[in-house]
Amino acid sequence: MNKNYFSTRWGIIGVGAFIGVIAALLQKLGNPGNMGICVACFERDIAGAIGLHRAGVVQYMRPEIIGFVLGSLVAAYLFKEFRPRTGSAPIVRFVLGVFAMIGALVFLGCPWRALLRFAAGDANAIFGLLGLTGGIWIGTLFLKGGYNLGRAQKTYTSVGWLLPLTMIGFLALMLIFPQVKGEPKSGILFYSMKGPGMIHAPLLISLMVGLGIGFLAQRSRFCTMGAFRDLILFRQAHLFTGLLALVVFAFITNLALGQFHPGVAGQPVAHTMQIWNFGGMVLSGLAFALAGGCPGRQLFLAGEGDGDAAIFVMGMIVGAGFAHNFGLASSPKGVGPHGIAALVIGLLVCVFIGFTMRKK
Amino acid sequence: MSILVDATGLSCPQPVLLTMNKIKEMQHGQMMIQVDTDTSKENVSRAAQSQGWEVTNVQENDIGYQLTIKKDA
């Protein structure tokens, strides 16, 4: 039996540390403030790039996301772990993806960014992390009560390839229609002229980093939601040590690069409505827990052939379209006009799913 | 005869949950767990070991892996 070093205690710590350092460096290399990596924000930017929403400040085909999926695909093939599978309540996973994204955009970040914001001194992130923990805790109650999305089935190899192929298509579009300075559109792709969508590291660096993280995360099974869930549900700290390593190393790198700015007001791409920072992440955490993985993990799973995780990713991208078209997403000024209503609906839907999909 | 826990096709954390429930029920003895992914194989092994059970065998098969875990009384 091959020993998978990356899934050992030191393996997961190493991967967490690597992600922490690289994420802080990506910010230095051009990504937005405290957003070296943010799976939700970057998927939202991709939704903007292909015109699923038309929020002018958040439109960019983020190569990191493409790299995450393809890096995981390469690792899965290299280590014979590519297993095409699907059929475990796909529509539920889609809906959970939609609301996970809406919750994340009420807070302004996925769990990865919540940790990175915290590691850069953004005190608002503490409320987000508390909310995330709360949402995951509610998810564990459902899990204990028998919540289960059912079994996936083995399927055709091509099923497992569809999301990676979509990502290759996105990359091709980006190369065919590259960003033109001063232009909001290149061919069919939208680009931001201002705001976080305009701020990005060079394409090749973003892609390489994405590939590297995708590879390592597939091997180590790094998952931010799983970190909290396993701690709450099984008192098991394995994944949590990786998460802690991410925070510690991002913090150290931020200090070294002069990116650590402790405070509450005026933090980059963040608002100070703490109850909604908390509430947004309760929804997100619950949706991730019910779907069995944080947004990063869903990308890595999709890369190793999990068609249900791929559906969740699609749900998140479409959810970003809803979030910006319907005024659900927050901005540095605060929550969007309909963000709170969407949050309540999202929680009701998640609770409905949690209560009704149980096997005794 | 050993007990078999079938965790094929189930996503995180179901394979571990099923194993842990069975471990609590049995307290000691021997059981086999069928999983279909490497992640589940690692997670189930880790969970069993954390409860003082020993992974005595990992058999690769058409579906994935069949783990045998054991704890003496």
Side-chain angles (χ1 to χ4, degrees):
Chain A
M1 185 175 67
N2 290 336
K3 178 87 183 144
N4 177 9
Y5 170 75
F6 289 106
S7 75
T8 62
R9 168 64 60 93
W10 285 108
I12 190 88
I13 289 175
V15 171
F18 177 79
I19 294 174
V21 171
I22 289 289
L25 274 175
L26 267 180
Q27 182 184 337
K28 190 78 184 168
L29 290 167
N31 276 0
N34 301 350
M35 204 193 282
I37 297 168
C38 171
V39 178
C41 317
F42 288 2
E43 288 175 350
R44 181 266 322 270
D45 292 351
I46 289 179
I50 57 177
L52 292 185
H53 67 72
R54 297 300 310 282
V57 291
V58 283
Q59 304 174 150
Y60 181 60
M61 187 69 83
R62 296 278 177 187
E64 289 88 349
I65 299 293
I66 297 169
F68 280 7
V69 176
L70 299 181
S72 166
L73 177 85
V74 171
Y77 264 98
L78 222 54
F79 293 90
K80 298 191 172 57
E81 288 188 10
F82 186 81
R83 287 178 193 268
R85 54 196 188 272
T86 192
S88 166
I91 181 66
V92 178
R93 293 176 188 271
F94 184 86
V95 170
L96 289 172
V98 168
F99 285 110
M101 178 60 95
I102 291 171
L105 292 179
V106 167
F107 163 68
L108 289 175
C110 69
W112 290 43
R113 181 164 192 251
L115 298 166
L116 292 172
R117 281 173 58 175
F118 177 64
D122 178 348
N124 305 296
I126 296 170
F127 295 89
L129 288 170
L130 287 173
L132 178 70
T133 314
I136 295 168
W137 174 71
I138 298 170
T140 63
L141 296 182
F142 284 122
L143 286 165
K144 280 184 194 164
Y147 168 79
N148 188 336
L149 283 181
R151 292 179 200 269
Q153 307 291 327
K154 219 174 179 177
T155 183
Y156 304 103
T157 302
S158 48
V159 174
W161 266 89
L162 279 181
L163 195 79
L165 282 174
T166 306
M167 291 296 156
I168 291 171
F170 282 168
L171 182 62
L173 284 180
M174 212 181 174
L175 298 174
I176 297 167
F177 306 116
Q179 190 164 21
V180 180
K181 212 174 157 68
E183 293 291 332
K185 209 173 171 196
S186 170
I188 61 167
L189 288 186
F190 296 94
Y191 288 92
S192 292
M193 306 275 287
K194 57 179 182 172
M198 191 193 69
I199 308 169
H200 54 81
L203 191 160
L204 199 61
I205 291 178
S206 295
L207 184 64
M208 296 313 285
V209 164
L211 285 168
I213 291 179
F215 188 97
L216 291 174
Q218 194 282 333
R219 300 308 301 141
S220 66
R221 335 301 187 195
F222 183 83
C223 177
T224 56
M225 185 285 296
F228 289 101
R229 180 201 59 206
D230 289 356
L231 202 60
I232 299 168
L233 198 56
F234 306 125
R235 306 265 173 262
Q236 216 183 75
H238 174 75
L239 288 171
F240 200 77
T241 55
L243 181 146
L244 281 181
L246 185 154
V247 173
V248 169
F249 278 81
F251 169 68
I252 294 169
T253 315
N254 279 329
L255 272 184
L257 298 174
Q259 292 176 167
F260 183 76
H261 305 291
V264 177
Q267 291 288 340
V269 201
H271 64 76
T272 55
M273 294 181 171
Q274 306 310 356
I275 186 160
W276 305 119
N277 279 328
F278 178 86
M281 280 315 243
V282 168
L283 172 58
S284 231
L286 176 55
F288 293 136
L290 293 178
C294 78
R297 180 79 186 134
Q298 302 281 357
L299 290 170
F300 310 135
L301 282 169
E304 58 173 67
D306 186 336
D308 298 319
I311 297 271
F312 184 91
V313 172
M314 291 297 191
M316 282 193 75
I317 293 173
V318 171
F322 285 126
H324 283 283
N325 289 338
F326 295 170
L328 318 178
S330 299
S331 73
K333 291 188 200 118
V335 290
H338 304 295
I340 296 166
L343 198 76
V344 173
I345 293 169
L347 284 171
L348 288 173
V349 170
C350 286
V351 167
F352 168 71
I353 289 171
F355 270 122
T356 55
M357 301 195 66
R358 296 206 268 190
K359 277 186 186 152
K360 275 289 169 192
Chain B
M1 197 179 74
S2 291
I3 285 159
L4 178 71
V5 176
D6 180 10
T8 51
L10 293 173
S11 52
C12 263
Q14 298 298 340
V16 173
L17 261 178
L18 289 180
T19 308
M20 293 290 246
N21 288 344
K22 207 69 183 167
I23 281 178
K24 271 185 204 143
E25 192 186 307
M26 286 175 62
Q27 301 282 340
H28 57 82
Q30 179 170 302
M31 72 170 106
M32 292 188 289
I33 306 120
Q34 177 68 48
V35 298
D36 59 348
T37 65
D38 290 76
T39 304
S40 295
K41 177 189 75 180
E42 291 163 10
N43 290 345
V44 167
S45 303
R46 198 180 297 118
Q49 283 158 354
S50 76
Q51 299 302 306
W53 287 60
E54 191 190 346
V55 182
T56 53
N57 190 33
V58 181
Q59 185 76 45
E60 199 164 351
N61 54 24
D62 285 349
I63 308 164
Y65 304 94
Q66 193 169 96
L67 313 180
T68 308
I69 64 171
K70 198 176 99 175
K71 187 181 183 184
D72 296 327

